Every structure is written in C-alpha cells, then in structure tokens.
Amino acid sequence: MRMKPISLALMYCLCSCLLLHGQIPQTLADPVVASEKLTVSSLLTTELVMKRRQLKLIDDLRKEEARYAQKTGAIGNISNSMLYLALLNMINGMDTKIAAVEHNISIVKITRLGFRHGLKGFESELENEKRYFRKLKQEYNLLNNSLLLSGGSGYNFTAFLKLLLQTMEIKENVLQINKNVRALMNINILFAK
C-alpha cells in the first residue's frame, strides 16, 4: 500500500515536470512565433497594396500614353488644326490681295499718263513682297507635303506658326502698299479693287 501513494506521487511529479518542461518553451515560443506571423502578414499585406497601386499606375500610364498618341498625330490636336486652317486661308487670300494691288497700280499708271511720281517705289515694294510670298508658299508646300512624316505636333505647331507670322507680315505690307496706291488714285478710286 505504501507503494501506491509513492508511485502516484512520483507519477504526479514526473507528469508535472514534463508538463512544466513542455510548457515553458512553448509559452516563450508562442509570442515569438505570433510576432513573426504578424510581421509576415503585415509585409504581405503591404506588398499586395503596393501591387494594386502599381497596377493602377500602369493603367493610368497606358491611358495617358493613348491620349498623348492621339495628340501627336499630324493634325492631332485642335491648336494645330486651327493654325493650319488659318495659314491655309491666309495663303489662299494673299494671291487675290496682290492681284488687286497690281490692278490698282495699273489704273494709276493709265490715269497719270506716264507720270510715275511715287509709283515706282510702290511697284518695287510689291515685287519684293511677291518674291518673299513665293518663297513662303514654297515652304508651305514643303511643310504641307511632309506633314505626315514630321516630328510630331510640337514641331508642326512651331513650323506653321512661324510661317503664319511671316505671312501676316507680308499681308500687312501688301495692305499698306494698297492703301498708299489708293491714296494716289483720286477720282479713279471707282475702278479700284
């Protein structure tokens, strides 16, 4: 009988030692493992958020590239189209303006009976403007033919804007010559164009 309580006590001590021995490392390991799991989980969540943000940025970049590709066509955006149309209109109208000034000069020649007081200067100025306009028209034709092969909308805008400004300058000079010639016409203003 005595054996039984001793064996029970021994078994109890042995079990409690085993349990305590098994519990102590497990209780120390639980917080370490839990913190490692928490760290890994937070890092994975951060990586997923960054992946989603990266995919959204890539999608935004594709949309922006598509919008930019539309604008970089030969006549891709509104400012290029409006500038091109203004230049086309001005170049087409310049020939008629120059022809009108030449007509007015010929009327003044007829009415003055050979006296060309001041008219020779206007004729030479008009001839210079015509020569300059012919060069600009050649440049315009060259730009117009190479429009599709050019370096993009920025190049087109700059080239056509320079040409438009030069054409406006010629138009201003031609109109000034026309005004001066019309001032010499007196009563023959009825025949002026």
Side-chain angles (χ1 to χ4, degrees):
M1 256 202 150
R2 277 180 135 201
M3 201 62 169
K4 230 177 195 190
I6 291 178
S7 65
L8 282 175
L10 188 57
M11 284 293 259
Y12 178 72
C13 278
L14 186 61
C15 283
S16 62
C17 282
L18 285 175
L19 283 175
L20 283 175
H21 183 65
Q23 284 267 333
I24 291 173
Q26 192 175 6
T27 56
L28 288 178
D30 280 344
V32 172
V33 170
S35 66
E36 287 176 356
K37 285 182 180 180
L38 182 64
T39 304
V40 168
S41 174
S42 65
L43 288 173
L44 285 175
T45 305
T46 305
E47 187 174 344
L48 285 174
V49 168
M50 290 175 69
K51 275 285 193 198
R52 285 185 191 133
R53 190 176 302 151
Q54 183 182 21
L55 289 174
K56 185 185 179 309
L57 288 173
I58 288 172
D59 189 43
D60 291 345
L61 181 64
R62 284 187 184 137
K63 288 177 185 174
E64 194 64 35
E65 284 176 347
R67 190 172 29 220
Y68 181 74
Q70 288 175 348
K71 288 183 177 180
T72 57
I75 308 177
N77 60 16
I78 284 260
S79 60
N80 282 355
S81 301
M82 297 302 284
L83 184 67
Y84 181 77
L85 290 175
L87 181 61
L88 179 67
N89 187 26
M90 189 166 293
I91 283 180
N92 288 340
M94 279 299 292
D95 287 326
T96 57
K97 287 190 186 348
I98 290 174
V101 175
E102 288 175 334
H103 174 75
N104 291 343
I105 288 175
S106 67
I107 288 178
V108 171
K109 280 183 188 177
I110 292 170
T111 58
R112 292 222 164 179
L113 302 172
F115 295 107
R116 309 179 98 185
H117 179 67
L119 201 55
K120 189 74 170 168
F122 296 138
E123 282 181 309
S124 65
E125 284 179 28
L126 184 64
E127 195 58 41
N128 288 338
E129 296 300 326
K130 278 174 54 176
R131 189 172 37 250
Y132 190 37
F133 179 65
R134 277 194 301 267
K135 288 180 183 177
L136 284 181
K137 203 168 183 182
Q138 288 174 350
E139 189 175 338
Y140 168 76
N141 290 333
L142 178 69
L143 283 174
N144 204 15
N145 292 335
S146 65
L147 184 65
L148 296 174
L149 303 174
S150 67
S153 63
Y155 171 76
N156 291 336
F157 185 81
T158 304
F160 281 113
L161 182 63
K162 285 180 180 179
L163 202 59
L164 179 66
L165 292 175
Q166 291 169 348
T167 308
M168 288 173 67
E169 186 179 329
I170 291 174
K171 182 179 179 182
E172 179 185 348
N173 293 340
V174 167
L175 291 176
Q176 184 64 39
I177 293 168
N178 192 30
K179 177 184 159 201
N180 294 335
V181 169
R182 285 174 70 101
L184 294 175
M185 291 182 83
N186 298 334
I187 192 71
N188 301 323
I189 199 83
L190 301 172
F191 301 111
K193 283 191 177 181

